[in-house]
Amino acid sequence: MRITPMLSQAQVPANKPSRIKKLILTGLLFSTIGALNGCSAFKPYEAPITQGNVMTEESLDLIQEGLNQIQVRKLLGPPIGQNTFNPYHWEYLFYTTDPKSELTVKKHLVLQFDKNFYLTKWESHPIKVQMKKDDSFLGLGWF
């Protein structure tokens, strides 16, 4: 059995931090970095909002009087506004808030069908979508 001599406090080097102190300092460093990350000057990523059916100019040019609802659905996809109580009225809407979007068509399309479900008239309106900017705390409007 070998006996190792115990070092007194005077013999321990004062400049060398212990392992526990290193762990505490590392933990404080990472928690400080994490806390400051929330106070960053960088703007967080905001996902672009895209709603509705993509209506290209080519598909809008193919719309004509006399198409039935199945043909219109194949051209434009399912309508966004289909009234359950009025199956002869369809509405299509498309917009995006993505500034990099290559789709420049932002439209509101209203279609009217007759009693035999054939297209009788349609109106296309350009729309302007304005998103409300909310800079309040967590978007709750409190502060």
Side-chain angles (χ1 to χ4, degrees), residues 22-37:
K22 285 183 183 178
L23 289 174
I24 291 173
L25 289 174
T26 305
L28 284 173
L29 176 70
F30 283 118
S31 61
T32 304
I33 290 172
L36 290 177
N37 191 25

PDB file of all heavy atoms in Angstrom, residues 22-37:
ATOM      1  N   LYS A  22     -14.101  25.824 -14.268  1.00  0.00           N
ATOM      2  CA  LYS A  22     -14.118  25.853 -15.727  1.00  0.00           C
ATOM      3  C   LYS A  22     -15.508  25.516 -16.256  1.00  0.00           C
ATOM      4  O   LYS A  22     -16.012  26.150 -17.182  1.00  0.00           O
ATOM      5  CB  LYS A  22     -13.097  24.873 -16.297  1.00  0.00           C
ATOM      6  CG  LYS A  22     -11.683  25.327 -16.200  1.00  0.00           C
ATOM      7  CD  LYS A  22     -10.776  24.299 -16.862  1.00  0.00           C
ATOM      8  CE  LYS A  22      -9.338  24.669 -16.720  1.00  0.00           C
ATOM      9  NZ  LYS A  22      -8.453  23.664 -17.315  1.00  0.00           N
ATOM     10  N   LEU A  23     -16.146  24.507 -15.656  1.00  0.00           N
ATOM     11  CA  LEU A  23     -17.487  24.127 -16.090  1.00  0.00           C
ATOM     12  C   LEU A  23     -18.491  25.247 -15.824  1.00  0.00           C
ATOM     13  O   LEU A  23     -19.364  25.527 -16.650  1.00  0.00           O
ATOM     14  CB  LEU A  23     -17.929  22.838 -15.402  1.00  0.00           C
ATOM     15  CG  LEU A  23     -17.224  21.562 -15.854  1.00  0.00           C
ATOM     16  CD1 LEU A  23     -17.644  20.382 -14.987  1.00  0.00           C
ATOM     17  CD2 LEU A  23     -17.533  21.282 -17.309  1.00  0.00           C
ATOM     18  N   ILE A  24     -18.373  25.894 -14.688  1.00  0.00           N
ATOM     19  CA  ILE A  24     -19.281  26.991 -14.355  1.00  0.00           C
ATOM     20  C   ILE A  24     -19.093  28.155 -15.312  1.00  0.00           C
ATOM     21  O   ILE A  24     -20.057  28.729 -15.822  1.00  0.00           O
ATOM     22  CB  ILE A  24     -19.089  27.421 -12.885  1.00  0.00           C
ATOM     23  CG1 ILE A  24     -19.597  26.327 -11.952  1.00  0.00           C
ATOM     24  CG2 ILE A  24     -19.801  28.735 -12.611  1.00  0.00           C
ATOM     25  CD1 ILE A  24     -19.302  26.580 -10.491  1.00  0.00           C
ATOM     26  N   LEU A  25     -17.820  28.504 -15.581  1.00  0.00           N
ATOM     27  CA  LEU A  25     -17.551  29.601 -16.502  1.00  0.00           C
ATOM     28  C   LEU A  25     -18.025  29.284 -17.923  1.00  0.00           C
ATOM     29  O   LEU A  25     -18.573  30.153 -18.614  1.00  0.00           O
ATOM     30  CB  LEU A  25     -16.065  29.939 -16.504  1.00  0.00           C
ATOM     31  CG  LEU A  25     -15.538  30.623 -15.233  1.00  0.00           C
ATOM     32  CD1 LEU A  25     -14.023  30.764 -15.308  1.00  0.00           C
ATOM     33  CD2 LEU A  25     -16.196  31.970 -15.059  1.00  0.00           C
ATOM     34  N   THR A  26     -17.845  28.037 -18.356  1.00  0.00           N
ATOM     35  CA  THR A  26     -18.317  27.635 -19.674  1.00  0.00           C
ATOM     36  C   THR A  26     -19.833  27.705 -19.743  1.00  0.00           C
ATOM     37  O   THR A  26     -20.401  28.187 -20.725  1.00  0.00           O
ATOM     38  CB  THR A  26     -17.841  26.207 -20.005  1.00  0.00           C
ATOM     39  OG1 THR A  26     -16.416  26.154 -19.881  1.00  0.00           O
ATOM     40  CG2 THR A  26     -18.248  25.798 -21.399  1.00  0.00           C
ATOM     41  N   GLY A  27     -20.502  27.241 -18.700  1.00  0.00           N
ATOM     42  CA  GLY A  27     -21.963  27.319 -18.653  1.00  0.00           C
ATOM     43  C   GLY A  27     -22.464  28.747 -18.675  1.00  0.00           C
ATOM     44  O   GLY A  27     -23.432  29.079 -19.370  1.00  0.00           O
ATOM     45  N   LEU A  28     -21.805  29.625 -17.942  1.00  0.00           N
ATOM     46  CA  LEU A  28     -22.185  31.036 -17.951  1.00  0.00           C
ATOM     47  C   LEU A  28     -21.959  31.676 -19.315  1.00  0.00           C
ATOM     48  O   LEU A  28     -22.767  32.488 -19.775  1.00  0.00           O
ATOM     49  CB  LEU A  28     -21.400  31.801 -16.884  1.00  0.00           C
ATOM     50  CG  LEU A  28     -21.851  31.600 -15.437  1.00  0.00           C
ATOM     51  CD1 LEU A  28     -20.883  32.273 -14.482  1.00  0.00           C
ATOM     52  CD2 LEU A  28     -23.250  32.126 -15.246  1.00  0.00           C
ATOM     53  N   LEU A  29     -20.869  31.295 -19.961  1.00  0.00           N
ATOM     54  CA  LEU A  29     -20.578  31.827 -21.288  1.00  0.00           C
ATOM     55  C   LEU A  29     -21.669  31.445 -22.283  1.00  0.00           C
ATOM     56  O   LEU A  29     -22.197  32.288 -23.003  1.00  0.00           O
ATOM     57  CB  LEU A  29     -19.210  31.346 -21.763  1.00  0.00           C
ATOM     58  CG  LEU A  29     -18.827  31.757 -23.185  1.00  0.00           C
ATOM     59  CD1 LEU A  29     -18.564  33.254 -23.241  1.00  0.00           C
ATOM     60  CD2 LEU A  29     -17.637  30.974 -23.651  1.00  0.00           C
ATOM     61  N   PHE A  30     -22.024  30.162 -22.302  1.00  0.00           N
ATOM     62  CA  PHE A  30     -23.050  29.706 -23.244  1.00  0.00           C
ATOM     63  C   PHE A  30     -24.425  30.280 -22.927  1.00  0.00           C
ATOM     64  O   PHE A  30     -25.181  30.627 -23.827  1.00  0.00           O
ATOM     65  CB  PHE A  30     -23.104  28.178 -23.295  1.00  0.00           C
ATOM     66  CG  PHE A  30     -21.994  27.580 -24.105  1.00  0.00           C
ATOM     67  CD1 PHE A  30     -21.064  26.731 -23.521  1.00  0.00           C
ATOM     68  CD2 PHE A  30     -21.858  27.866 -25.453  1.00  0.00           C
ATOM     69  CE1 PHE A  30     -20.038  26.181 -24.255  1.00  0.00           C
ATOM     70  CE2 PHE A  30     -20.840  27.325 -26.202  1.00  0.00           C
ATOM     71  CZ  PHE A  30     -19.924  26.478 -25.606  1.00  0.00           C
ATOM     72  N   SER A  31     -24.760  30.409 -21.654  1.00  0.00           N
ATOM     73  CA  SER A  31     -26.064  30.994 -21.322  1.00  0.00           C
ATOM     74  C   SER A  31     -26.099  32.482 -21.666  1.00  0.00           C
ATOM     75  O   SER A  31     -27.124  33.002 -22.085  1.00  0.00           O
ATOM     76  CB  SER A  31     -26.398  30.760 -19.848  1.00  0.00           C
ATOM     77  OG  SER A  31     -25.441  31.365 -19.017  1.00  0.00           O
ATOM     78  N   THR A  32     -24.974  33.183 -21.523  1.00  0.00           N
ATOM     79  CA  THR A  32     -24.917  34.589 -21.922  1.00  0.00           C
ATOM     80  C   THR A  32     -25.067  34.732 -23.428  1.00  0.00           C
ATOM     81  O   THR A  32     -25.804  35.605 -23.912  1.00  0.00           O
ATOM     82  CB  THR A  32     -23.587  35.220 -21.464  1.00  0.00           C
ATOM     83  OG1 THR A  32     -23.454  35.054 -20.050  1.00  0.00           O
ATOM     84  CG2 THR A  32     -23.522  36.689 -21.822  1.00  0.00           C
ATOM     85  N   ILE A  33     -24.398  33.880 -24.178  1.00  0.00           N
ATOM     86  CA  ILE A  33     -24.523  33.912 -25.635  1.00  0.00           C
ATOM     87  C   ILE A  33     -25.964  33.609 -26.043  1.00  0.00           C
ATOM     88  O   ILE A  33     -26.523  34.256 -26.925  1.00  0.00           O
ATOM     89  CB  ILE A  33     -23.532  32.930 -26.293  1.00  0.00           C
ATOM     90  CG1 ILE A  33     -22.107  33.447 -26.135  1.00  0.00           C
ATOM     91  CG2 ILE A  33     -23.866  32.723 -27.759  1.00  0.00           C
ATOM     92  CD1 ILE A  33     -21.042  32.470 -26.565  1.00  0.00           C
ATOM     93  N   GLY A  34     -26.579  32.632 -25.391  1.00  0.00           N
ATOM     94  CA  GLY A  34     -27.969  32.302 -25.694  1.00  0.00           C
ATOM     95  C   GLY A  34     -28.917  33.431 -25.374  1.00  0.00           C
ATOM     96  O   GLY A  34     -29.860  33.713 -26.115  1.00  0.00           O
ATOM     97  N   ALA A  35     -28.683  34.130 -24.259  1.00  0.00           N
ATOM     98  CA  ALA A  35     -29.544  35.256 -23.882  1.00  0.00           C
ATOM     99  C   ALA A  35     -29.364  36.422 -24.844  1.00  0.00           C
ATOM    100  O   ALA A  35     -30.332  37.092 -25.217  1.00  0.00           O
ATOM    101  CB  ALA A  35     -29.248  35.685 -22.456  1.00  0.00           C
ATOM    102  N   LEU A  36     -28.134  36.674 -25.265  1.00  0.00           N
ATOM    103  CA  LEU A  36     -27.883  37.774 -26.190  1.00  0.00           C
ATOM    104  C   LEU A  36     -28.373  37.470 -27.599  1.00  0.00           C
ATOM    105  O   LEU A  36     -28.610  38.382 -28.379  1.00  0.00           O
ATOM    106  CB  LEU A  36     -26.399  38.120 -26.221  1.00  0.00           C
ATOM    107  CG  LEU A  36     -25.854  38.789 -24.953  1.00  0.00           C
ATOM    108  CD1 LEU A  36     -24.362  39.005 -25.087  1.00  0.00           C
ATOM    109  CD2 LEU A  36     -26.571  40.087 -24.676  1.00  0.00           C
ATOM    110  N   ASN A  37     -28.540  36.206 -27.903  1.00  0.00           N
ATOM    111  CA  ASN A  37     -29.040  35.833 -29.214  1.00  0.00           C
ATOM    112  C   ASN A  37     -30.456  36.368 -29.422  1.00  0.00           C
ATOM    113  O   ASN A  37     -30.819  36.758 -30.524  1.00  0.00           O
ATOM    114  CB  ASN A  37     -29.025  34.310 -29.371  1.00  0.00           C
ATOM    115  CG  ASN A  37     -29.284  33.891 -30.787  1.00  0.00           C
ATOM    116  OD1 ASN A  37     -29.044  34.641 -31.714  1.00  0.00           O
ATOM    117  ND2 ASN A  37     -29.783  32.683 -30.942  1.00  0.00           N
TER     118      ASN A  37
END
